[in-house]
Amino acid sequence: MWWAYLLVFVGTMIVDCTPLPLPPAFTLMIFLQSFFHLSIWPVIILGVLGSALGRYLFSLYIARLSNMVLKPDKVNDIHFLGDKLNSSLLRSQVFTLLYTLMPISSTPLFITAGIARMHPLRVLPAFMVGKFISDAIAVFMGDYVVRNSSELLS
């Protein structure tokens, strides 16, 4: 059954390195955890690691892709935001942590990091902490719903 845990890692990495609008990685984690009856903590840990690797890969290639898709003035705006985040390590870590804890996509954060060519250590550590907290909450809630769905629907 180790391959199901590998599927969690690879699936969350693919979801988070794709620029297409896909469901959040935690929904895949909930589905795979409930479908294969996996232990929750390894699912959360592997899912967060897969998401972090996916977002890192996303930030590496998004700069090239954005030049073809975005208007030059939008790229300049993103560079401005990136410069603001790059100005202070503490500020970028706190902002990233708070941003990741909110129930919104982290895609704009990594678009900014990629286009502004920010060093990954300015974003990834706080992203992983916030992602771990928010995904743990989501996966535990999803597990509760799956286990008690008959009671919740009656």
Side-chain angles (χ1 to χ4, degrees), residues 57-72:
L57 294 173
F58 177 76
S59 70
L60 292 179
Y61 76 80
I62 195 63
R64 288 186 187 98
L65 185 65
S66 66
N67 289 333
M68 294 183 285
V69 177
L70 297 176
K71 295 178 183 176

Side-chain angles (χ1 to χ4, degrees), residues 38-52:
L38 302 174
S39 298
I40 290 181
W41 286 111
V43 168
I44 294 169
I45 292 167
L46 290 170
V48 169
L49 291 174
S51 287

